[in-house]
Amino acid sequence: SIDGSGRALTIQDCVAGSDSLLALWRDFLDGRMAHATLLSGESGIGKKTLARLLAQGLLCRGEGTRPCGQCRDCKRSLARTHPDALFPVPAPKEKNIKIDALRQVIDALSRHSLEGGNRVILIENAERMTPQAQNCLLKTLEEAEESTFFLLTADVESAILPTIRSRCRVIRMQPWRPERIEKTLLERGVSPDRAHALSLYCEGSLGRALQMQEDETYWAARELARRSFLSIRRSADLATAAALLKDQKDSGDLLLDILEQETRALLHAKLTGSRDTADDFPPAWQHATPHGLEAVLSAVLLARRQRAANVGWAALAEGLMQTILEEAKTWQV
């Protein structure tokens, strides 16, 4: 399950809302899966979950819709103990998948299927393969039997050799729409307020939303950002905000991230006319202009550069607050 909850995601959950993924699922059900499939896209949008479910389904011998999740083959696939499922991964203490891992795949494929059915090679984070490993995979792709299926996932598609991509059915998975993320989070017991906020700030990544949901440090920092940066309306507010931010040097990066998230979400709401979203923000920001929000984003970028240059937290926070104040003065109604 992508979310670690008691409810396991199904292939239907993963492919909903995407024509290319629905076509992939139909081909899977009809027994017309491509010899090799590459699922690419941002982290946390379900690539690995879908690839694992497809691997289960290709090995499943249960009744009904595959994968059944209950048969011996499904359970062994999930546990990565199925003899006809291969999972090339980096060696211990290594970040990259080296050629030795692919040579083990070639050696296994040189022998007959141990269970007499399909064989699956699942390579997650395929962009981590070294060039030598990718060239080794290319040879394997060209010589594999019809009952052998390759499933690759990659956050960075361009890191995969063009020769490998040309031999795969490439499906570029898209970030989830906010309303779909919010609905999914609600189904998993997340409170309505948090589900709505997460759907705005996770950038279409359900995985990221679920990580943020469990991180109480994030929610404390978000509340602090709202009581400080996002509450500035007049000069008198600066002292209160400065006092709240004074000892937050260690949380500085997170506070800047949250301020950027909030500002981008409100800017999107302003540009798309989403009044409900705009009303979620503190009163000081509900009448913000797109031009003013863009100025705040530029100030956040400057603050990040200053932080990287070891400018003191108090000084960069003060500069950021001054920018917000100057823009907020023009938002008053």
Side-chain angles (χ1 to χ4, degrees), residues 17 60 78 91 125 136 157-158 173 185-186 222 225 231 244 253 265 269:
C60 176
L78 183 62
N125 300 115
C136 186
E157 182 184 323
S158 60
M173 295 177 64
L185 293 173
L186 290 171
R222 181 173 180 264
S231 292
L244 290 169
D253 290 336

Side-chain angles (χ1 to χ4, degrees), residues 64-85:
T65 302
R66 297 172 293 137
C68 69
Q70 302 300 318
C71 71
R72 180 169 175 259
D73 293 281
C74 279
K75 292 178 179 178
R76 288 191 297 172
S77 175
L78 183 62
R80 301 203 168 197
T81 58
H82 197 292
D84 287 325

Side-chain angles (χ1 to χ4, degrees), residues 10 21 62 107 117 119 150 157 185 207 220 237 243 282 294 316 320 329 333:
T10 65
L21 289 174
D107 181 62
R119 289 191 288 193
F150 294 83
E157 182 184 323
L185 293 173
D237 297 327
E294 289 172 352
L316 69 86
L320 188 50
K329 287 179 179 177
V333 295

Side-chain angles (χ1 to χ4, degrees), residues 123-136:
I123 308 177
E124 297 176 346
N125 300 115
E127 69 270 27
R128 294 184 184 176
M129 288 188 292
T130 63
Q132 295 84 358
Q134 292 197 47
N135 282 317
C136 186

